[in-house]
Amino acid sequence: MAQALVFVAAALLIGLGALGTAIGFGTLGGKLLEGSARQPEQGPALQGKMFLMAGLLDAVPMIGVGIGMYLIFAVAPGMAG
Amino acid sequence: MTNNSTENKQKAKAIKSPLKYTLAVQLLVVSPALVVLNAFDPLWMQSFFWGVLIFSLPNAYFTWYAFRYRGAKYSQWIARSFYQGEMGKHMLAAVGFALVFRFVAPLHLPGLIAGFCSLVLLQWFIAWQIADRFEQTQT
């Protein structure tokens, strides 16, 4: 039972993190298209800025993936039996 | 004359390949850190190295994808490429963590997390540099 709860916790951790990143990337991508359409000469600058924001956006979900994998591969096996 | 020299300086500072720049800065910062850590505790150094590798490889994949296309004409492809790169980055990081937790023993967990988090912080600086200097390559 406890092991199953650990798997559920890891799934929620990774899944919700990925959901947040997906929403953020959707917004970022939309703004990039909008900005490039309005001012095409700013395209490369916007691409660089998007890269910066992507780095800030995915830091926490990446750490969440690490903790989730730790729960699945290090914590849960110790609870078996 | 002054304008030309300023322009030349800007061009010299411009980043032509973000992927190469990212890998070079990471190597430059991580190598001395690994040498210092090895002097104190080899196990810590090994775990730190795995943390660095788990972040660095997926991040290189993402950077390559993010700058595959350039120019406002391809903005739709750029947005799509960013999304695909991010998806691949998450998957590669998950696979990396899984492999390390499954097959690397002994492992010092704080060392692994420290290596990973320090690269996350370094990536913010690298991304800031790229955002600042990448646009100059286009002019």
Side-chain angles (χ1 to χ4, degrees):
Chain A
M1 181 64 186
Q3 198 185 22
L5 284 176
V6 169
F7 285 129
V8 171
L12 283 174
L13 193 63
I14 296 171
L16 290 178
L19 182 69
T21 311
I23 292 170
F25 262 86
T27 312
L28 267 181
K31 296 289 177 192
L32 175 82
L33 292 176
E34 212 176 277
S36 296
R38 279 179 204 269
Q39 287 178 296
E41 73 279 2
Q42 288 291 316
L46 289 172
Q47 192 177 2
K49 299 282 186 290
M50 185 167 169
F51 184 70
L52 171 64
M53 292 315 294
L56 295 172
L57 186 68
D58 74 351
V60 175
M62 285 284 281
I63 294 168
V65 166
I67 295 170
M69 287 294 136
Y70 175 70
L71 289 177
I72 293 170
F73 287 95
V75 175
M79 291 175 142
Chain B
M1 182 70 183
T2 318
N3 278 349
N4 270 349
S5 80
T6 314
E7 211 171 274
N8 287 340
K9 272 182 192 170
Q10 276 187 344
K11 275 186 181 171
K13 281 170 76 179
I15 294 169
K16 290 189 180 73
S17 167
L19 178 59
K20 281 183 193 167
Y21 178 77
T22 304
L23 292 176
V25 173
Q26 284 176 353
L27 195 71
L28 212 70
V29 173
V30 167
S31 305
L34 288 177
V35 171
V36 171
L37 283 174
N38 192 37
F40 287 105
D41 186 356
L43 178 62
W44 231 90
M45 185 277 288
Q46 193 194 346
S47 304
F48 189 89
F49 172 74
W50 286 118
V52 166
L53 206 66
I54 290 171
F55 184 84
S56 186
L57 292 180
N59 188 60
Y61 176 84
F62 172 65
T63 309
W64 177 61
Y65 255 79
F67 292 100
R68 254 192 340 169
Y69 302 100
R70 292 174 191 200
K73 205 166 57 170
Y74 301 106
S75 53
Q76 196 177 345
W77 288 98
I78 291 169
R80 187 175 296 177
S81 207
F82 260 91
Y83 189 76
Q84 286 170 347
E86 184 62 28
M87 202 165 60
K89 184 181 178 180
H90 270 247
M91 281 181 174
L92 285 174
V95 169
F97 272 115
L99 288 175
V100 167
F101 286 134
R102 182 77 181 78
F103 294 110
V104 178
L107 185 72
H108 195 251
L109 187 68
L112 180 87
I113 300 293
F116 190 82
C117 290
S118 59
L119 262 272
V120 169
L121 294 178
L122 180 64
Q123 181 57 28
W124 290 349
F125 170 76
I126 292 170
W128 170 58
Q129 286 293 308
I130 290 174
D132 198 32
R133 286 153 60 181
F134 175 68
E135 58 192 285
Q136 293 166 4
T137 59
Q138 312 297 312
T139 53

